[in-house]
Amino acid sequence: MPESGFPRPVGALASLLRDLRSAADGDPMPELSYSAYRDFFDTGNRIRYERRYFRRRARLAARAAQALLDPATDLGPLADTLWSVCDEYTWALPAHVRPDGDPTRCLDLFAAETAHTLAETVAALRDRLDPRVADRVRAEVDRRVFAPFTEALPLSWEGSGNNWEAVCAGAVGMAALALLGDAPAQSSRLAAMLDRSRRAMDRYLAGFGDDGGCAEGVDYWVYGFGYFTYFAEALRAHTGEDLMAAPKVRQIAAFPHRAALGAGAHVPFSDASERPWLPAGLLTRLAERFGTPPARVIPSLHDDHCYRWGHLSRTLAWFRPIEAPAATEPVSFLPDLGWVIQRGRFAFAAKGGHNDEPHNHNDLGHFILHTHGESVLDDLGAGEYTADYFGPRRYDSLQPSARGHSVPVIDGQAQLPGPHRAARILRYATDGDTTCFDLDLTTAYEVAGLRSLIRRFRWSPVGRLELVDEIVVERPLRVEEMFISRRRPSFTPGTADWGGLVTLSHDCPETTLEEVVPTNHQALPDPVYRLRCAMTAATGRSTLRFVFDLT
């Protein structure tokens, strides 16, 4: 980000500038009271506190951006906001505070992001800001974030290899560059902090396979790889070192485009969403560096409900219209991730992988059928984040459990979690007319008498999927095939129809329908329909065949 402020925004950002003005002058910031803070610890509910917290970050980001966009801005309201953020008991979310830790020095994602926002704002405003406010901001950033980051003990997220590594280390590294980069007396401290950030970025990149696929899904690619990119470019501007020159980075940069279903929809495997927000500034910089597709959607401030400074500031600084490259290949195969996606008039996606991935769902062999802009055979994405959702009862929630995915239930047993519960890819091939994808799912289950379970996909771009499950058992076992949709299907013996968009034919003797209503990521009711097609597999080998036709 330019130290003195932002360049004049291009016209395509007019709606974003209107959002900034509205957010800067809106209702008073909500209080982060003790009763709000303790809510998570008492009830496990995250969203009530977090809604207040993020409304405060919206005000902070909007007023900071306005001040940097317009030198004539009255800085009194921004100074009040900065002071109020410094008054907060902790910058971390209650869900991330350890019971035995100091909440005021908890260095989680949002404490790091807050430090980044404050640091770049104070550094860019220089002597425009009241020094009493600037000095307090510097002191609080140092106490809450820089001090824990420079201590020798490993932080809880170091070694995770997921988005936490990139976001926490990247945000702290950028904050250090902003506040310490021009201070010769702080050069050794800055060097130590940047070295710790570099090591975290190495671990983050090591969490990807050579195919560049993000097991956490496109939303968390935006989060983690976004902050990796922001830090890498800030480091390059300061030192000339280019973390983005690593060969794997080019593949990671292409991931969301390879995971696209078409027309803005993406594969929502893991705790992801079907229509993720892709920051315009991030896409612009990646397009410039790697030739990936640029931003096509005019951004809104509210696209990011957490109002992260990294995304907002880099969109204001980096976005420009860029001509789109040639269309992405119609078929994506990510062998390390175990995903296949085929786009066109109709879209199909299926996944292997293992059941101990970051933001894991027990979903080996799960698939999506997408037509007319809708995933009819669907993936539910992320559920409501609560204490239980990230605790030992995670798989009691529908979204991450196998019962929330289109996978078999064997003898009443669903897939189990664990790194050894893995899908082995037996075959992948495509010739333009048919895509073949075969998975061995046997280890996903722990059922006495189950010897083998092979799932075979045969997808034709004309809109037909043939799904065959081959099962070998040592005793008769009941097999239930579940198909997940947010559309209520109609069915008769041997057929099912999801609103005329997808039809199914099969030869299972039993068909039932169940409606369940979990809460989605926004804590809203999310009706889901599970079609169950069941049979009893006799001793030996049985084959279950399903044909889906899309219109």
Side-chain angles (χ1 to χ4, degrees):
M1 190 183 83
E3 293 183 0
S4 60
F6 299 115
R8 182 176 297 277
V10 298
L13 297 182
S15 62
L16 175 57
L17 300 182
R18 288 194 297 271
D19 290 342
L20 289 172
R21 288 192 293 270
S22 176
D25 300 327
D27 295 334
M29 293 204 304
E31 179 185 2
L32 293 180
S33 63
Y34 171 63
S35 59
Y37 176 76
R38 65 177 283 189
D39 189 18
F40 170 79
F41 302 101
D42 292 347
T43 70
N45 181 280
R46 293 179 52 159
I47 202 164
R48 287 189 288 265
Y49 179 92
E50 292 177 12
R51 281 174 175 159
R52 296 185 179 201
Y53 181 99
F54 293 130
R55 281 170 58 195
R56 292 174 64 85
R57 292 304 179 267
R59 176 62 53 81
L60 172 63
R63 286 184 169 171
Q66 277 200 322
L68 298 178
L69 286 165
D70 182 3
T73 299
D74 174 10
L75 296 189
L78 173 60
D80 286 342
T81 302
L82 294 169
W83 196 266
S84 180
V85 171
C86 288
D87 281 340
E88 292 175 1
Y89 172 57
T90 177
W91 291 342
L93 297 185
H96 298 157
V97 172
R98 286 185 166 185
D100 58 346
D102 179 356
T104 69
R105 284 163 45 94
C106 176
L107 184 41
D108 76 334
L109 299 161
F110 299 98
E113 291 169 22
T114 299
H116 175 222
T117 308
L118 298 177
E120 289 195 344
T121 299
V122 166
L125 289 174
R126 298 180 182 271
D127 57 4
R128 291 175 55 199
L129 187 66
D130 187 316
R132 292 166 292 188
V133 176
D135 289 347
R136 188 180 182 204
V137 166
R138 290 175 180 273
E140 290 297 324
V141 169
D142 195 291
R143 179 179 72 86
R144 297 172 186 250
V145 174
F146 286 1
F149 194 68
T150 53
E151 293 170 356
L153 292 177
L155 294 159
S156 61
W157 44 264
E158 289 185 297
S160 66
N162 59 23
N163 70 86
W164 279 69
E165 295 262 17
V167 174
C168 293
V172 175
M174 288 185 286
L177 285 168
L179 293 185
L180 309 179
D182 293 332
Q186 297 281 356
S187 60
S188 61
R189 190 184 193 201
L190 174 62
M193 294 178 72
L194 293 180
D195 185 58
R196 194 164 189 172
S197 291
R198 287 188 193 91
R199 293 197 302 271
M201 296 306 174
D202 287 343
R203 292 188 296 267
Y204 173 68
L205 293 182
F208 290 84
D210 290 338
D211 62 14
C214 180
E216 298 177 283
V218 174
D219 301 74
Y220 283 98
W221 173 91
V222 168
Y223 201 10
F225 192 64
Y227 272 83
F228 168 84
T229 300
Y230 306 148
F231 172 72
E233 293 294 74
L235 184 67
R236 184 164 70 112
H238 184 77
T239 68
E241 179 183 359
D242 189 4
L243 301 184
M244 297 180 73
K248 190 185 290 187
V249 173
R250 179 178 293 273
Q251 295 299 320
I252 301 171
F255 170 70
H257 314 292
R258 301 184 70 195
L261 296 169
H266 292 72
V267 171
F269 295 148
S270 185
D271 280 339
S273 60
E274 184 177 285
R275 296 189 178 274
W277 164 66
L278 301 176
L282 174 62
L283 292 193
T284 299
R285 183 51 54 95
L286 297 179
E288 291 171 340
R289 297 214 55 182
F290 302 114
T292 51
R296 298 185 180 183
V297 178
I298 297 174
S300 164
L301 175 66
H302 308 295
D303 288 333
D304 177 15
H305 76 279
C306 298
Y307 301 96
R308 298 177 177 93
W309 181 249
H311 299 319
L312 172 62
S313 62
R314 273 55 184 179
T315 289
L316 290 169
W318 293 349
F319 174 72
R320 65 182 180 86
I322 296 178
E323 184 177 347
T328 305
E329 289 292 321
V331 183
S332 300
F333 175 50
L334 302 168
D336 298 309
L337 208 55
W339 292 12
V340 171
I341 303 102
Q342 182 153 356
R343 294 163 286 276
R345 179 184 173 191
F346 309 105
F348 159 75
K351 76 175 298 292
H354 61 83
N355 281 345
D356 192 39
E357 297 166 343
H359 285 265
N360 181 67
H361 289 199
N362 293 335
D363 58 357
L364 307 184
H366 177 58
F367 67 99
I368 293 168
L369 295 177
H370 187 88
T371 180
H372 291 275
E374 177 183 343
S375 290
V376 181
L377 271 292
D378 209 351
D379 187 292
L380 304 180
E384 180 184 357
Y385 285 3
T386 63
D388 284 343
Y389 196 85
F390 289 102
R393 297 182 59 189
R394 177 177 178 84
Y395 300 107
D396 291 348
S397 298
L398 182 67
Q399 289 90 345
S401 75
R403 296 179 186 275
H405 296 86
S406 296
V407 297
V409 172
I410 309 297
D411 200 34
Q413 301 298 310
Q415 291 185 15
L416 298 174
H420 60 292
R421 310 292 180 181
R424 184 163 61 95
I425 298 175
L426 302 177
R427 183 188 182 198
Y428 165 74
T430 186
D431 60 7
D433 292 324
T434 303
T435 296
C436 305
F437 189 45
D438 297 347
L439 300 170
D440 185 340
L441 304 181
T442 310
T443 62
Y445 300 84
E446 192 167 314
V447 175
L450 174 64
R451 290 186 56 192
S452 173
L453 175 57
I454 308 298
R455 170 158 280 198
R456 304 186 189 278
F457 297 100
R458 299 294 180 270
W459 167 256
S460 170
V462 300
R464 168 166 285 203
L465 172 67
E466 294 186 13
L467 171 66
V468 174
D469 283 345
E470 298 175 357
I471 185 169
V472 179
V473 299
E474 296 175 341
R475 63 182 178 89
L477 292 176
R478 181 175 174 82
V479 179
E480 293 177 285
E481 300 277 3
M482 290 201 300
F483 302 112
I484 305 296
S485 180
R486 289 185 170 93
R487 275 185 170 266
R488 177 188 288 273
S490 59
F491 63 94
T492 61
T495 69
D497 184 334
W498 286 268
L501 298 174
V502 176
T503 59
L504 165 66
S505 60
H506 64 90
D507 55 8
C508 290
E510 302 176 36
T511 307
T512 57
L513 181 67
E514 178 184 15
E515 179 182 4
V516 288
V517 187
T519 53
N520 65 14
H521 192 50
Q522 290 75 39
L524 300 174
D526 186 19
V528 174
Y529 301 95
R530 297 193 293 198
L531 185 73
R532 296 171 180 260
C533 300
M535 63 165 287
T536 298
T539 301
R541 182 182 301 275
S542 298
T543 299
L544 294 84
R545 182 173 180 270
F546 304 87
V547 177
F548 298 86
D549 287 297
L550 284 65
T551 59

